[in-house]
Structure formats: structure tokens, C-alpha cells
Amino acid sequence: SIYNAKKLHVEILDANGNVAKNTDGTELTTDDYANSSVFKGSIRVAAGAYSGVAHSANWDGTQSAFNAPYYAGQTSVNVQAGKDVQASVECTLANVKVTVNYGEQFKKFVKTAQTVVSSPLLGVSSRTFTMSTTNSAYFPVSDLTLALTLNNDASHVLTNTITDVKARDHYIINYELSESPTGNGGGIRVVV
């Protein structure tokens, strides 16, 4: 199916981290909150401590992907016998967005270029941005390494590292040509 970051998996967990059940025995979980009957109207649970958890369905955000943001949120609630309680879960972007742009002058003088963005996390695939890539990629939270290769030549590689990465960061990498301060030709300028 087509991934939809806003299709939310929602569940209510008991104090032991297990999916809670409504007093009629229905498990309080769904992979499609907007179209689920489980959370329509009031639910009834035994008194106790609970967590409401919501995140993008069918995606856990532990891998990199183009056009696949991962949203997640959680809240705690204490239910007391005979009292109504309401709780809200705010979901925010839980991974990191990366966009790579190549400036017009850069494209004019460089025949081909590609930037490989990678994470040091085990099993996370790198993503390659060419001069025609218009999509953004999303990565789990970790440092990121950028490797720009010019004209398919391994001897023309420029490497940069982005550290102190946090969820909800959006790194826009712009490659531009810049004039040398000595006037002896240009160089590549990286703006993050």
C-alpha cells in the first residue's frame, strides 16, 4: 500500500506496557485511527495508569527513505474509578529530514554530481541525491555523513559530517560554486 505518514497507529497501554482492553474485552489498538471504531466515543477501562501511544502506521522510522516522515507521540494518563478523563497525544516528526540542492552555477559547470547521505547506525541504508533529485529523505536520529562525488570520479569526493542531529531537524544542503579569494578560479561551497 502507499505509505501515508498521517495514517496513525494508536494504542492504549497498561502500566505493564501491554495493550489495554476495553471492559467489553476489545483491545485498544488500531492501525488506522481515523477509520477505526475502537476509539469512537468513550472507552471504559479499569482504574490505573495508562499510556496513549500514536505513531505513523506501517513504518517505524528506524530506516531511511525518500518521502517517508515518521511521526510519533505518547502521553500518560491516570484513570480513577467513576471519573471521566480525557487525554491528547501530540505527534511530531521523530526522524530527520535531509534535502540536497545544487545551485544553478554549480549545474552549469559540473557535468554530473551525486551526494550520498549516510548514517552510522547499523542497517540504515544510505540515500543518493543526484542533480535531478527533488525529493527529501528521512533518517533516524544520528550523525550524518555527506559525500559529494563530481563527474563520477573517485578522486573528486568532498566529505562533510553533520553532528548533534535531533528529531525534527531539517538539513538543507546547498552546493554552490564560489570564487577563490586569490582569484585563481572557483571552488565548491557547502551551505547547510
Side-chain angles (χ1 to χ4, degrees):
S1 63
I2 297 172
Y3 170 71
N4 176 356
K6 295 181 182 178
K7 182 178 177 182
L8 294 176
H9 171 88
V10 175
E11 58 190 12
I12 297 177
L13 305 176
D14 63 22
N16 296 320
N18 300 315
V19 174
K21 292 184 180 179
N22 203 334
T23 53
D24 68 3
T26 304
E27 285 196 335
L28 298 173
T29 184
T30 181
D31 280 332
D32 188 1
Y33 178 76
N35 297 308
S36 173
S37 62
V38 174
F39 294 101
K40 298 292 186 228
S42 297
I43 58 173
R44 297 179 62 89
V45 294
Y50 294 89
S51 295
V53 178
H55 59 82
S56 300
N58 305 315
W59 180 252
D60 64 5
T62 61
Q63 185 53 261
S64 66
F66 282 106
N67 299 327
Y70 174 65
Y71 297 96
Q74 183 170 341
T75 193
S76 297
V77 63
N78 284 311
V79 176
Q80 297 176 1
K83 294 188 178 181
D84 289 342
V85 65
Q86 292 186 3
S88 297
V89 177
E90 181 179 349
C91 293
T92 58
L93 186 66
N95 52 10
V96 179
K97 183 177 182 179
V98 177
T99 305
V100 176
N101 300 310
Y102 301 92
E104 289 306 314
Q105 288 290 68
F106 185 97
K107 289 179 181 179
K108 183 176 177 182
F109 291 102
V110 176
K111 184 172 59 174
T112 62
Q114 70 173 23
T115 302
V116 176
V117 180
S118 59
S119 164
L121 297 176
L122 188 62
V124 175
S125 299
S126 60
R127 296 292 158 189
T128 301
F129 295 81
T130 65
M131 289 176 28
S132 61
T133 302
T134 58
N135 299 329
S136 295
Y138 293 83
F139 291 83
V141 177
S142 71
D143 291 351
L144 298 171
T145 301
L146 316 171
L148 170 69
T149 303
L150 302 175
N151 302 326
N152 301 318
D153 185 347
S155 64
H156 290 90
V157 177
L158 176 65
T159 303
N160 297 87
T161 301
I162 300 173
T163 59
D164 196 29
V165 174
K166 294 178 181 60
R168 294 184 296 283
D169 283 351
H170 179 190
Y171 291 98
I172 302 171
I173 293 84
N174 295 307
Y175 291 105
E176 302 168 350
L177 288 185
S178 64
E179 288 298 322
S180 169
T182 60
N184 294 331
I188 296 173
R189 185 164 61 114
V190 182
V191 180
V192 179

